[in-house]
Amino acid sequence: MANMNWELHAEGIWKTVIGEPSAMTPLSSMGCNPLKEELASMGEGSLPFSNESVQVDRTSSSFIVRLPLEKQERIYGLGLHFMKMNHRGRTRYLRVNSDPKQDTGETHAPVPFYVTDRGYGLLIDTSRIVTVHCGSTMRLNETAAEQVKDRNTDRGWKATLESEYVEVCLPLEGAEVYLIAGPAIIDVVRRYNLLCGGGTLPPKWGLGFWHRVPTLYNADQVMEEAQQFREKDFPCDVIGLEPGWHSKSYPVTGEWSRERFPDPAKMVNTLKQNGFQVNLWEHPFVSPDSSLYDKLLPLSGNYSVWGGIAPDYTLPEAREVYQQQHLEEHLNIGVSGYKLDECDGSELTRNSWMFPAHAQFPSGYDGEQLRQVYGLLFQKMTDDLYRKQNRRTYGLVRASNAGTSSMPYVLYSDLYDHKQFIRALCNASFSGLLWTPEVRKATSAEDWVRRMQVVCLSPLAMLNAWGDGTKPWSYPEVEPIIRHYIKLRMRLLPYLYNAFAQYRYKGIPPFRAMPLVMDTSDMQSVSETGAALNTTDGAYGKKVEREWDDQFMVGDSLLVAPLIAGEHARDVLLPQGIWYGFETGERFEGNQIVRVEPGLETMPIFVKDGAIIPTIAARAHAPRPGEKVPLHLIHFGEAPGSIELYDDDGETFAYEQGEHQWVNFTVTRSDQGIFSGAASKESVDLQSYSEIKWTYQAKRLPEDHTN
Amino acid sequence: MANMNWELHAEGIWKTVIGEPSAMTPLSSMGCNPLKEELASMGEGSLPFSNESVQVDRTSSSFIVRLPLEKQERIYGLGLHFMKMNHRGRTRYLRVNSDPKQDTGETHAPVPFYVTDRGYGLLIDTSRIVTVHCGSTMRLNETAAEQVKDRNTDRGWKATLESEYVEVCLPLEGAEVYLIAGPAIIDVVRRYNLLCGGGTLPPKWGLGFWHRVPTLYNADQVMEEAQQFREKDFPCDVIGLEPGWHSKSYPVTGEWSRERFPDPAKMVNTLKQNGFQVNLWEHPFVSPDSSLYDKLLPLSGNYSVWGGIAPDYTLPEAREVYQQQHLEEHLNIGVSGYKLDECDGSELTRNSWMFPAHAQFPSGYDGEQLRQVYGLLFQKMTDDLYRKQNRRTYGLVRASNAGTSSMPYVLYSDLYDHKQFIRALCNASFSGLLWTPEVRKATSAEDWVRRMQVVCLSPLAMLNAWGDGTKPWSYPEVEPIIRHYIKLRMRLLPYLYNAFAQYRYKGIPPFRAMPLVMDTSDMQSVSETGAALNTTDGAYGKKVEREWDDQFMVGDSLLVAPLIAGEHARDVLLPQGIWYGFETGERFEGNQIVRVEPGLETMPIFVKDGAIIPTIAARAHAPRPGEKVPLHLIHFGEAPGSIELYDDDGETFAYEQGEHQWVNFTVTRSDQGIFSGAASKESVDLQSYSEIKWTYQAKRLPEDHTN
């Protein structure tokens, strides 16, 4: 065992290099530029132990990094996981893989970055697979005799003993390792996001509603379906096309099918006139029938997938070929982004597909490395492409890893368990990831409603009807509920945009799992108090620690606690303070568990006392650049409050050159109990808003005056 | 790419060594002594390609062995798999792991030995993890343009192209590799089993019925429950005790709980008097409270599991300690065998448990190696222990690997999907493994019946009531059906024993998946003909190749086609020839698919025309050594036939010193159509049988005269 040599990499972040790792890593591939000023403003933070407590051991097959672990310490993060939020006691094999139905650590976006509630984080930056034993290993010389119990007779027997260490198995070659300071979990996660260059700031239209059409639709069908949204008064910002837009797919040409899309430029333009962006599905594997093929063939790996080549996008030449073609055929006619499918690989579905770990690429990297970073390369390559056009994009991606906080991409999956989908949304927030619990179909109208409700309060509100041909109005009996929630999302656009601005500038995740919001010790004590009241849990005296991985914060002020089909009531863990039912107006005291029975038409959302929620009227689509709309600042409750409202053009990167504003709005209460709001600037000239209207002391969200 | 240097290892088996692998391998750990005479009698066999077609490549992380693959070539084996029988198109990561709910290759008993229907087999002998790409990888320079289809429009699009190679990823250090000749699949499997020293021959009592009692039962409860079997006329040979017999478990002491078992010797003896053997559950991890602990501590790995030590049983000193204690406390009081639980490890259940891959053992081997062979070591260690006592054992084990054909152990799992259980039974037969679809509980009386029916025609007929407290009579409404099938098993004891004798001496698996019995091309053509008649399958013109992994042969003459709950009818693939419903007498022409609708009381079993099935009357338990019972040879149908009947003392290893007989019985039909049977020896003196009775031309199994 040896100590490691740590260097201060940025304020609150230490770095060391173990072994002689490959220079190609997630963070280097992403060109992560830490936001050093913002990191400095956070201060030096603190670690719960000295750097010397972190030890490294060399074995025949790897390096083992060992960190101390306390008895009740909870371990969060490690990427997009579906079955646990606290990974304590689990082993995480962090390999990129599709459709993770078992809790092994393999997933679309495994991230070798964890944060514990003792208040620190560890990040391994490597293009190879890492295994993290989250207290799932117990060294013999640390096995405490008193922990060893007799399962025959002792109800206190536990399947996993309280190990005293986290053990991280690095690749044979070693890796770059970062220690990240707390003290709070959210401080660690902020620092991680800032290390990655800050979070992403989507274009405003990205936060509207997305609809993906059936894969074999032609242009007329696409335009007709889009038009239906307008006619039926269902907001929609983005129309997504699926594999059928390609002249051939699986593998892909990347070229428009002339048969189905004889004039794609016209279609895109027509849609744009009607307020729709176009998003194109693709996957990595290039068809021999593609014009890209001959250029990319010498720049590809030595294994094909579905008969297509797997280009080596670590090579600038390969990226240029891809980007040039995408610019000419897609961006130049107005396409707004991509759905980057199948960059993960799978042995878990009916057929195995992907280049193998032993595949060789012209860069000299192998299949294991390329698979771990393939999703990253596509994100960066397309984001760069749009940046060069000074346009922001927002899209979807099926694989990710560390270093992607600044990437404008949201993860999705072919899985469909709704509880797991909500958990994944929570988990993503620890790892600089975004996740959409996309809706595709439903087992009932109730299931339809519950899924649509939560997707409308998620990072990307989308109906993916590629295979099912569903529409938001597919269940007529609940159509008004669906319309209501999509419109709610549209009203909340400024609030959501603000949350993303905090992400961009301060590294604060826009969507937050509960441990990012509350001390876990408070969570535990509140839960234990609550559990005593619910005698169905905790039978036989066992404390079952509830993870609260079924509710999350959106921004600073809204807490979302979805129901799934079959549930008619649920417990909600409310943090300290006073809360109001966002749509009911009911008042709740926080720092406790409350039980709600909302009815199908309502998803439980709670707003903090004193919150100022910036809203606009629900519209068919997000405001266009240059279009000004009235801003309605809604103050809730009885407490004073304030908000830093962010504004920019919502579409370009001009904000990075200073063309943006932060305006502080404050609500105060006079001695006479009169509430009033004021801006920090004397004259407020927000480029997106024509006027500012105030509501004070709201208990529930007022009706939309456009309804 | 290089050719490999093959040496003839035995008739029909070539061997090469790649790299510098560890000397500790499955086959070497098992001390496999090939049955060279029997191999020689099989002849030199044939390979479908020259040895030069097998190539090896060195990459940065492994050796890749590449073998040619034909378009429709089917790949079987690779261990105990639950989701596929033909692994073509799949990637198999052959790591030992518990509860495999996804089709990755990880399983309780992954075996790096496959056989294809082109007629050869490949075996990798290594204590490390092997990955086999069963045509799931496609090298770029082999990607045929005409295979690349457009998924948008081409219904012939396939998710997995027809790769031209199997690729086997060896560990970094290399491995020992064997090529095994065909030409038939069963020839390859036979040679593999003979390479491993032949199959296992259980004691006769092992083929009776097993019942495991609830874990916390005390001696009185155990004896009372055993007595109930006798009173209720349910045969039973083995009573299994679960963790509660230990003074402490998880981790284990290996010592009798004085509280629950104050006089274990008396209990075992009492049970023996009543015809019951005792089988003891254990797992590897030794408790600090065990008398074994101090001796084994310095001989253990540096990680604990459940607070217990993981002894290094590659060390003879460690084995001696274990064996001595087991001899003194278990064997010497008459215990007949073990259930070797939890030697697999798991990251798939609610809690991860096992020593990690980087664990170090005193032998110098690491955790990866010990985990891959742990199940093997326990099998060999306990088998050797019983051999020294000149007693055969039969038991259960939760992990295995290559080289274990001669081990008297049957695999089982905490999984419970019945279709998967039946598929695992079929799959085990390609890999020198035995599997029991043990019964524990049921969702309905129908489910109970269907599970009990098939377990009674499986390698080990067992009700494992450790947690559920079920009994064969737990569903009173179907009690007669259960009794009938347990008694059927007892009647078939000589037939089952004969099948195992073929396994022992000739390497022929006693339970056989259909590709071991029929040419796969015949299976395919029969299936295609059949499919045209069943228009619900094969809709849209797609040929869905049915694997027939839901039926199997038992011995040479019986075909079992179980139903699962919810099914009321099923298709059965009958091989060439005439068949009779074993219990119905219905006549069927083979080489086709037949449809049967058996009713709950019947599991479809088919007997070959001309078969001679040796039976005895159903008894409470297997005949004791020295006990002679009448043998009833039942000839079926209208064809002549013959059987090599095997006999020995059924309990010791005297048979290995020549104390056994093979007697040929033949049934002939005279010109007048009279059937008669005769033995090859003039005077037949079988040690197990008092007399021989014949039945000729049976169409269905006659009633048991003891019923």
Side-chain angles (χ1 to χ4, degrees):
Chain A
M1 287 299 291
N3 286 347
M4 297 150 74
N5 297 321
W6 296 99
E7 289 186 0
L8 192 69
H9 183 73
E11 197 79 47
I13 301 175
W14 295 264
K15 178 180 178 180
T16 188
V17 179
I18 297 176
E20 290 172 24
S22 168
M24 195 276 284
T25 74
L27 265 61
S28 67
S29 301
M30 294 297 96
C32 289
N33 261 325
L35 297 189
K36 297 210 165 193
E37 273 189 40
E38 192 63 29
L39 280 165
S41 80
M42 287 186 70
E44 61 183 25
S46 64
L47 289 174
F49 44 71
S50 70
N51 292 27
E52 284 68 47
S53 305
V54 184
Q55 305 222 301
V56 63
D57 199 8
R58 184 83 173 89
T59 74
S60 59
S61 58
S62 58
F63 293 93
I64 309 295
V65 179
R66 194 168 285 117
L67 299 95
L69 193 60
E70 289 197 319
K71 278 195 182 309
Q72 291 292 332
E73 197 169 343
R74 299 170 183 83
I75 300 172
Y76 300 110
L78 296 174
L80 186 75
H81 295 289
F82 291 87
M83 270 159 273
K84 297 285 294 176
M85 193 162 77
N86 175 12
H87 303 291
R88 180 67 185 260
R90 307 291 303 158
T91 291
R92 293 283 171 250
Y93 178 57
L94 295 170
R95 175 171 177 251
V96 169
N97 213 342
S98 188
D99 305 316
K101 290 179 185 165
Q102 277 190 288
D103 193 34
T104 64
E106 292 180 87
T107 176
H108 301 282
V111 180
F113 163 54
Y114 71 79
V115 53
T116 88
D117 65 348
R118 199 176 165 197
Y120 80 96
L122 188 82
L123 163 66
I124 312 293
D125 188 26
T126 172
S127 54
R128 295 198 176 279
I129 296 164
V130 173
T131 298
V132 184
H133 297 286
C134 304
S136 51
T137 55
M138 175 78 89
R139 293 208 298 177
L140 192 51
N141 56 13
E142 286 137 23
T143 307
E146 60 272 16
Q147 280 195 46
V148 180
K149 294 183 190 294
D150 174 23
R151 190 179 191 183
N152 290 334
T153 56
D154 192 335
R155 288 193 176 289
W157 181 87
K158 284 189 282 190
T160 303
L161 300 191
E162 298 277 345
S163 167
E164 297 183 358
Y165 289 91
V166 172
E167 295 194 314
V168 182
C169 304
L170 302 188
L172 185 62
E173 65 190 31
E176 299 186 11
V177 182
Y178 296 81
L179 252 186
I180 303 178
I185 292 175
I186 194 162
D187 299 327
V188 179
V189 171
R190 281 190 64 192
R191 287 196 173 88
Y192 168 78
N193 290 330
L194 293 170
L195 174 66
C196 296
T200 188
L201 179 61
K204 285 183 175 172
W205 55 257
L207 299 175
F209 189 80
W210 293 50
H211 179 73
R212 310 201 76 83
V213 298
T215 179
L216 286 174
Y217 264 21
N218 60 36
D220 289 337
Q221 290 168 310
V222 171
M223 287 189 286
E224 191 187 312
E225 188 143 307
Q227 182 57 23
Q228 283 192 309
F229 277 80
R230 299 298 178 238
E231 285 166 10
K232 290 177 177 289
D233 190 27
F234 273 86
C236 181
D237 264 277
V238 182
I239 295 291
L241 305 189
E242 288 280 306
W245 74 263
H246 292 256
S247 52
K248 291 186 177 182
S249 75
Y250 286 82
V252 300
T253 54
E255 293 149 15
W256 294 91
S257 158
R258 292 296 155 200
E259 180 196 332
R260 290 180 288 281
F261 296 88
D263 192 344
K266 182 172 171 197
M267 178 195 72
V268 173
N269 193 54
T270 304
L271 288 167
K272 269 232 157 99
Q273 295 308 316
N274 210 356
F276 296 99
Q277 311 294 321
V278 172
N279 176 286
L280 298 181
W281 173 98
E282 65 170 44
H283 77 197
F285 311 108
V286 179
S287 166
D289 290 324
S290 172
S291 65
L292 288 169
Y293 184 83
D294 290 338
K295 293 173 220 167
L296 288 175
L297 180 59
L299 304 172
S300 293
N302 63 342
Y303 280 78
S304 64
V305 182
W306 288 308
I309 51 179
D312 185 348
Y313 290 121
T314 67
L315 298 171
E317 315 92 275
R319 294 196 295 269
E320 271 167 40
V321 171
Y322 172 102
Q323 287 172 325
Q324 187 59 31
Q325 187 265 358
H326 280 53
L327 175 67
E328 285 168 7
E329 304 217 19
H330 314 150
L331 271 76
N332 282 353
I333 65 168
V335 167
S336 299
Y338 298 97
K339 171 177 168 180
L340 305 165
D341 204 17
E342 287 149 343
C343 34
D344 43 18
S346 177
E347 293 82 25
L348 305 179
T349 55
R350 197 168 39 244
N351 290 283
S352 304
W353 58 265
M354 197 46 160
F355 44 79
H358 61 269
Q360 289 163 340
F361 287 80
S363 54
Y365 306 124
D366 61 31
E368 176 192 352
Q369 293 176 291
L370 261 289
R371 181 165 174 170
Q372 290 295 103
V373 304
Y374 223 32
L376 308 183
L377 299 174
F378 278 92
Q379 293 178 64
K380 179 104 176 103
M381 184 163 61
T382 49
D383 182 60
D384 279 352
L385 182 61
Y386 277 97
R387 276 184 171 271
K388 286 193 198 108
Q389 305 297 308
N390 194 27
R391 291 163 60 188
R392 287 183 236 167
T393 185
Y394 199 47
L396 298 134
V397 68
R398 252 263 300 265
S400 202
N401 202 317
T404 57
S405 312
S406 69
M407 288 291 107
Y409 282 99
V410 180
L411 290 153
Y412 64 99
S413 177
D414 285 344
L415 296 176
Y416 210 53
D417 179 288
H418 199 201
K419 260 187 125 50
Q420 291 183 5
F421 265 28
I422 296 164
R423 182 179 296 114
L425 198 161
C426 296
N427 275 336
S429 67
F430 293 105
S431 306
L433 301 173
L434 299 166
W435 157 266
T436 175
E438 73 175 14
V439 182
R440 298 195 291 272
K441 56 184 184 178
T443 52
S444 63
E446 181 194 5
D447 185 37
W448 186 250
V449 168
R450 292 310 186 192
R451 289 179 180 272
M452 287 295 267
Q453 285 171 333
V454 66
V455 86
C456 286
L457 269 293
S458 83
L460 198 152
M462 182 168 73
L463 171 56
N464 178 10
W466 81 269
D468 301 290
T470 39
K471 326 229 190 299
W473 50 90
S474 282
Y475 287 81
E477 63 273 40
V478 294
E479 188 178 309
I481 305 177
I482 310 301
R483 183 185 288 105
H484 171 82
Y485 275 89
I486 298 178
K487 289 197 166 192
L488 176 62
R489 185 175 182 87
M490 300 310 288
R491 294 182 68 188
L492 289 172
L493 279 188
Y495 178 76
L496 295 170
Y497 197 66
N498 233 53
F500 275 93
Q502 289 185 299
Y503 194 32
R504 177 66 182 83
Y505 288 88
K506 299 182 189 303
I508 302 171
F511 294 78
R512 301 163 207 171
M514 296 312 293
L516 287 165
V517 173
M518 287 177 75
D519 271 355
T520 53
S521 51
D522 292 341
M523 288 174 64
Q524 184 177 352
S525 54
V526 170
S527 300
E528 284 170 9
T529 313
L533 303 173
N534 293 327
T535 53
T536 49
D537 295 313
Y540 309 114
K542 267 194 220 165
K543 279 193 213 147
V544 178
E545 174 162 311
R546 188 168 169 168
E547 290 197 359
W548 299 104
D549 53 5
D550 59 354
Q551 57 173 76
F552 52 91
M553 295 286 296
V554 181
D556 290 333
S557 309
L558 295 182
L559 188 148
V560 177
L563 271 74
I564 64 173
E567 291 178 343
H568 301 110
R570 65 160 288 165
D571 291 335
V572 184
L573 174 65
L574 288 181
Q576 191 83 34
I578 305 297
W579 297 81
Y580 295 89
F582 190 55
E583 299 194 274
T584 65
E586 186 180 354
R587 184 182 183 280
F588 299 92
E589 300 227 358
N591 203 40
Q592 66 172 333
I593 297 169
V594 303
R595 191 157 183 82
V596 295
E597 197 168 340
L600 184 61
E601 67 284 358
T602 303
M603 174 170 70
I605 305 171
F606 303 83
V607 57
K608 260 193 205 175
D609 190 31
I612 300 170
I613 307 291
T615 67
I616 56 176
R619 312 155 33 92
H621 56 81
R624 302 168 201 258
E627 184 183 0
K628 290 190 172 209
V629 297
L631 176 69
H632 186 184
L633 295 171
I634 307 173
H635 163 263
F636 283 81
E638 299 296 328
S642 73
I643 182 174
E644 285 279 332
L645 184 76
Y646 177 79
D647 193 34
D648 64 19
D649 69 19
E651 190 157 87
T652 75
F653 289 97
Y655 75 87
E656 290 185 346
Q657 310 310 321
E659 289 181 40
H660 64 271
Q661 290 194 66
W662 289 94
V663 180
N664 182 283
F665 291 94
T666 307
V667 166
T668 50
R669 181 184 179 279
S670 76
D671 296 331
Q672 292 79 32
I674 309 290
F675 284 81
S676 62
S680 55
K681 298 183 181 175
E682 267 197 25
S683 87
V684 178
D685 183 26
L686 298 162
Q687 59 181 311
S688 304
Y689 305 111
S690 53
E691 56 177 295
I692 295 164
K693 173 181 158 187
W694 281 97
T695 294
Y696 306 99
Q697 292 172 282
K699 302 298 185 295
R700 57 187 291 179
L701 182 68
E703 293 291 321
D704 188 2
H705 70 355
T706 60
N707 266 357
Chain B
M1 286 301 292
N3 287 345
M4 298 150 71
N5 297 320
W6 297 99
E7 286 185 6
L8 192 70
H9 183 72
E11 197 80 47
I13 301 176
W14 294 264
K15 179 178 177 181
T16 188
V17 179
I18 297 176
E20 289 171 25
S22 168
M24 194 276 285
T25 73
L27 265 62
S28 68
S29 301
M30 293 298 96
C32 289
N33 260 326
L35 297 189
K36 294 207 168 194
E37 274 191 41
E38 190 65 28
L39 279 166
S41 79
M42 287 186 70
E44 62 181 25
S46 65
L47 288 174
F49 44 72
S50 70
N51 293 26
E52 284 66 49
S53 304
V54 183
Q55 306 223 302
V56 64
D57 200 6
R58 184 83 172 93
T59 74
S60 59
S61 58
S62 56
F63 293 93
I64 309 294
V65 178
R66 194 168 284 119
L67 299 95
L69 193 60
E70 287 196 322
K71 277 196 185 306
Q72 292 290 331
E73 197 169 343
R74 300 170 182 84
I75 301 171
Y76 300 110
L78 296 175
L80 186 76
H81 296 289
F82 292 86
M83 269 159 273
K84 297 285 291 177
M85 194 163 78
N86 173 11
H87 303 291
R88 181 65 185 262
R90 309 290 304 158
T91 291
R92 294 281 170 251
Y93 178 57
L94 295 170
R95 176 170 177 251
V96 170
N97 213 341
S98 187
D99 305 316
K101 291 180 185 163
Q102 277 189 288
D103 193 33
T104 65
E106 293 181 87
T107 177
H108 303 282
V111 180
F113 163 54
Y114 71 78
V115 53
T116 88
D117 65 349
R118 201 175 165 197
Y120 80 96
L122 188 83
L123 163 67
I124 313 291
D125 188 25
T126 172
S127 55
R128 295 199 177 277
I129 297 166
V130 173
T131 297
V132 184
H133 296 287
C134 304
S136 51
T137 55
M138 174 77 90
R139 293 207 299 177
L140 193 51
N141 55 15
E142 286 136 25
T143 307
E146 60 272 15
Q147 281 194 47
V148 180
K149 295 184 191 291
D150 174 23
R151 190 180 191 183
N152 289 335
T153 57
D154 192 338
R155 291 194 176 286
W157 181 87
K158 284 189 281 191
T160 303
L161 300 191
E162 297 279 344
S163 168
E164 296 182 0
Y165 288 92
V166 172
E167 295 195 312
V168 182
C169 304
L170 303 186
L172 186 62
E173 64 189 33
E176 300 185 11
V177 183
Y178 296 80
L179 252 185
I180 302 177
I185 291 175
I186 194 162
D187 299 327
V188 180
V189 173
R190 282 189 65 192
R191 285 195 174 89
Y192 169 78
N193 290 330
L194 293 170
L195 174 66
C196 295
T200 188
L201 180 61
K204 284 182 175 173
W205 55 257
L207 298 177
F209 189 80
W210 293 49
H211 178 72
R212 310 201 76 82
V213 298
T215 180
L216 286 175
Y217 266 19
N218 61 36
D220 288 338
Q221 290 168 310
V222 172
M223 289 189 286
E224 194 187 308
E225 187 143 309
Q227 182 57 24
Q228 284 193 306
F229 276 80
R230 300 298 178 238
E231 285 166 10
K232 290 177 176 290
D233 189 27
F234 272 87
C236 182
D237 265 277
V238 182
I239 295 291
L241 306 188
E242 287 280 305
W245 74 264
H246 293 254
S247 52
K248 292 189 177 179
S249 74
Y250 286 81
V252 300
T253 54
E255 293 147 15
W256 292 91
S257 157
R258 292 296 155 198
E259 180 195 334
R260 292 182 285 281
F261 295 88
D263 193 344
K266 184 172 171 197
M267 178 194 73
V268 174
N269 192 56
T270 304
L271 288 167
K272 270 231 157 100
Q273 297 307 316
N274 209 356
F276 294 100
Q277 312 292 323
V278 173
N279 175 286
L280 298 181
W281 173 98
E282 66 170 45
H283 77 196
F285 311 108
V286 179
S287 168
D289 291 322
S290 170
S291 66
L292 288 169
Y293 185 84
D294 290 338
K295 293 173 219 166
L296 288 175
L297 180 59
L299 304 172
S300 295
N302 63 341
Y303 280 80
S304 64
V305 182
W306 289 308
I309 51 179
D312 186 348
Y313 290 121
T314 66
L315 299 171
E317 314 92 275
R319 295 198 293 269
E320 270 167 42
V321 171
Y322 172 102
Q323 288 172 325
Q324 188 59 30
Q325 188 265 356
H326 280 54
L327 175 68
E328 286 168 7
E329 304 217 19
H330 314 150
L331 271 76
N332 283 352
I333 66 169
V335 167
S336 300
Y338 297 99
K339 172 178 167 179
L340 304 166
D341 205 16
E342 285 148 343
C343 35
D344 43 17
S346 176
E347 293 83 26
L348 307 179
T349 55
R350 198 167 40 244
N351 290 284
S352 306
W353 58 265
M354 196 46 159
F355 44 78
H358 60 270
Q360 290 163 340
F361 287 80
S363 55
Y365 305 124
D366 61 31
E368 175 191 353
Q369 294 176 290
L370 262 287
R371 181 165 174 171
Q372 290 295 105
V373 304
Y374 224 31
L376 308 182
L377 300 175
F378 278 92
Q379 293 177 62
K380 179 103 176 104
M381 184 162 61
T382 49
D383 181 61
D384 278 352
L385 181 62
Y386 275 98
R387 274 183 172 271
K388 285 193 198 111
Q389 306 295 309
N390 194 28
R391 290 162 61 186
R392 289 184 234 166
T393 185
Y394 199 45
L396 297 134
V397 69
R398 251 261 303 264
S400 202
N401 203 316
T404 57
S405 311
S406 67
M407 290 291 107
Y409 282 99
V410 180
L411 291 153
Y412 64 98
S413 178
D414 285 343
L415 297 176
Y416 210 52
D417 179 288
H418 199 201
K419 261 186 122 54
Q420 291 183 7
F421 266 26
I422 295 165
R423 182 177 296 113
L425 199 161
C426 298
N427 276 335
S429 66
F430 293 106
S431 305
L433 301 172
L434 299 166
W435 155 266
T436 175
E438 73 175 15
V439 182
R440 298 194 292 270
K441 58 183 183 177
T443 53
S444 63
E446 181 193 4
D447 185 36
W448 186 249
V449 167
R450 292 310 186 192
R451 288 178 181 273
M452 288 294 268
Q453 284 171 332
V454 66
V455 86
C456 285
L457 270 291
S458 82
L460 196 155
M462 182 169 74
L463 171 55
N464 178 9
W466 81 269
D468 300 291
T470 40
K471 326 229 192 300
W473 50 89
S474 281
Y475 287 81
E477 63 272 41
V478 293
E479 187 179 312
I481 306 177
I482 309 303
R483 183 185 289 107
H484 171 84
Y485 275 90
I486 298 178
K487 288 197 167 192
L488 176 61
R489 185 175 181 88
M490 300 312 286
R491 294 181 69 187
L492 288 173
L493 279 186
Y495 178 77
L496 295 171
Y497 196 65
N498 232 55
F500 275 93
Q502 288 185 301
Y503 194 32
R504 176 65 182 83
Y505 287 88
K506 300 183 188 303
I508 301 172
F511 293 78
R512 300 162 208 171
M514 296 311 294
L516 289 164
V517 173
M518 287 178 75
D519 270 356
T520 52
S521 52
D522 291 342
M523 288 174 65
Q524 184 177 350
S525 55
V526 170
S527 300
E528 283 171 10
T529 314
L533 303 173
N534 293 328
T535 52
T536 49
D537 294 314
Y540 307 116
K542 267 193 217 164
K543 277 191 215 150
V544 178
E545 175 161 310
R546 187 165 171 172
E547 290 198 359
W548 299 104
D549 52 5
D550 58 355
Q551 56 174 77
F552 50 93
M553 295 287 296
V554 182
D556 290 334
S557 308
L558 294 181
L559 188 148
V560 177
L563 271 75
I564 63 173
E567 291 178 340
H568 300 110
R570 66 159 288 165
D571 291 334
V572 184
L573 174 65
L574 288 179
Q576 190 85 33
I578 304 298
W579 297 81
Y580 296 88
F582 191 55
E583 300 193 274
T584 64
E586 187 180 353
R587 182 181 184 281
F588 297 93
E589 298 226 0
N591 203 39
Q592 65 170 332
I593 297 169
V594 302
R595 191 156 184 83
V596 294
E597 198 168 339
L600 185 61
E601 66 284 359
T602 303
M603 175 171 70
I605 305 171
F606 302 83
V607 58
K608 260 193 204 177
D609 190 30
I612 301 169
I613 306 292
T615 67
I616 57 176
R619 314 153 34 92
H621 55 81
R624 303 168 200 256
E627 184 183 359
K628 290 192 172 205
V629 297
L631 176 68
H632 185 184
L633 295 171
I634 307 173
H635 163 263
F636 283 82
E638 298 297 327
S642 71
I643 182 173
E644 284 279 332
L645 183 76
Y646 177 77
D647 193 31
D648 64 20
D649 70 18
E651 191 157 86
T652 77
F653 288 97
Y655 76 87
E656 289 185 347
Q657 311 311 321
E659 287 181 42
H660 65 269
Q661 291 193 64
W662 290 93
V663 181
N664 182 283
F665 290 95
T666 306
V667 165
T668 50
R669 179 183 181 280
S670 77
D671 296 332
Q672 294 77 33
I674 310 292
F675 285 81
S676 61
S680 54
K681 297 182 181 172
E682 267 196 26
S683 85
V684 177
D685 182 27
L686 298 165
Q687 57 180 312
S688 304
Y689 304 112
S690 54
E691 57 175 293
I692 296 165
K693 173 182 158 186
W694 281 96
T695 293
Y696 304 100
Q697 290 172 283
K699 301 301 185 293
R700 57 189 291 181
L701 181 69
E703 293 292 321
D704 188 3
H705 69 6
T706 60
N707 264 357

